[in-house]
Amino acid sequence: MLLLVDAGNTRIKWALVDAAGRDGLGCWRTFGSISHAETGTLAQAWRGMEIARALLSNVAGAALRGSLEAALAAAGLQPTQIGWFASVPQLGGVRNGYRNPAQLGCDRFASVIGAHALFPRQALIVATCGTATTVDALSPDGVFLGGMILPGLGLMAGALAKNTAQLPQVAETAAVAQAFADNTDDAIVAGCIAAQAGAIERAVAAHALQHPAVQCVLAGGAAAYIAPQLHVAHKTVDNLVLIGLQVAALGAADTSC
């Protein structure tokens, strides 16, 4: 079995797939999602799963990497069985157009690889809505053109509440039903979601100047709150980083589960 791990800024997601590449993209034999505080439970979860190798994406720093290495070792994996995903000039059908390819966040690179595999030969805007929101552009032939980074929905609402006198702290999970709110809590949420949706729509419009048919792909924990406010066609994909890791490790597979 192949273990895939997406260690993000807030949560750690992992999945097991067939190491021979016989599973479709996003078709997991086993899946888990935990907070950073629960990292100590991973060794027990992975022990006895007959893992042949592991590929991990980590954007949460050296301390978490050390904890993941300890969990893998406790589960019986040797260092030679462990790979750490990194951004390179070309991989998984995607050519990295960043000025310094290694500087591109490995989670962003994995996400565009996954999106390109799911939507081949299409111009893409890939918006990952997590702790930060990243909005990236991909050409139909798989060239990563670059992107934008802005505070995620929770960070945006939290910063506004923290730094503005007498404004309440607003949870990112609050719903918004209309553009113009009649109370302060909803006004903060409406403004933050409008900013997120506006950035994504602007990216789609800019990309469409060169590629008339642009597919917008949404991912990340806050995607469910932003998607209803988008005025462009879009598709939401769960666990896009893990799908990109699957492609990078095994190549594109049949997308049906």
Side-chain angles (χ1 to χ4, degrees):
M1 300 293 285
L2 170 67
L3 173 65
L4 307 170
V5 179
D6 168 22
N9 288 304
T10 304
R11 299 191 67 80
I12 301 167
K13 299 179 181 181
W14 59 272
L16 282 176
V17 297
D18 179 71
R22 290 176 292 218
D23 292 334
L25 294 179
C27 303
W28 320 127
R29 301 293 180 93
T30 308
F31 173 82
S33 177
I34 62 170
S35 67
H36 288 188
E38 300 171 291
T39 306
T41 66
L42 289 174
Q44 183 62 35
W46 294 339
R47 194 172 290 123
M49 285 191 171
E50 299 182 357
I51 300 169
R53 55 193 177 106
L55 181 62
L56 301 90
S57 166
N58 173 37
V59 297
L64 185 60
R65 173 168 173 151
S67 297
L68 291 170
E69 288 175 333
L72 291 165
L77 273 75
Q78 302 298 316
T80 55
Q81 297 174 280
I82 302 168
W84 293 93
F85 184 78
S87 295
V88 295
Q90 188 161 336
L91 184 65
V94 172
R95 182 160 63 86
N96 186 346
Y98 236 39
R99 184 179 304 172
N100 177 0
Q103 192 180 46
L104 176 64
C106 60
D107 56 341
R108 291 171 67 194
F109 192 44
S111 290
V112 295
I113 289 173
H116 182 63
L118 291 172
F119 305 97
R121 297 177 296 281
Q122 295 187 51
L124 301 177
I125 288 295
V126 181
T128 303
C129 310
T131 303
T133 295
T134 59
V135 186
D136 295 317
L138 197 69
S139 71
D141 57 352
V143 178
F144 173 76
L145 302 173
M148 60 181 76
I149 303 172
L150 58 153
L153 184 58
L155 281 177
M156 191 174 283
L160 182 61
K162 179 180 179 181
N163 294 300
T164 306
Q166 298 183 346
L167 284 184
Q169 182 72 39
V170 179
E172 69 176 87
T173 54
V176 57
Q178 55 190 18
F180 304 111
D182 60 3
N183 65 87
T184 301
D185 282 18
D186 287 350
I188 293 174
V189 175
C192 292
I193 290 181
Q196 301 280 319
I200 295 168
E201 290 170 358
R202 183 179 178 88
V204 171
H207 203 19
L209 294 175
Q210 298 296 324
H211 305 285
V214 176
Q215 174 66 60
C216 179
V217 181
L218 293 185
Y225 310 112
I226 297 168
Q229 306 304 318
L230 283 176
H231 295 151
V232 295
H234 57 275
K235 294 184 179 179
T236 301
V237 178
D238 293 330
N239 304 308
L240 192 55
V241 172
L242 291 177
I243 292 172
L245 294 178
Q246 186 180 8
V247 174
L250 302 171
D254 181 3
T255 58
S256 61
C257 290

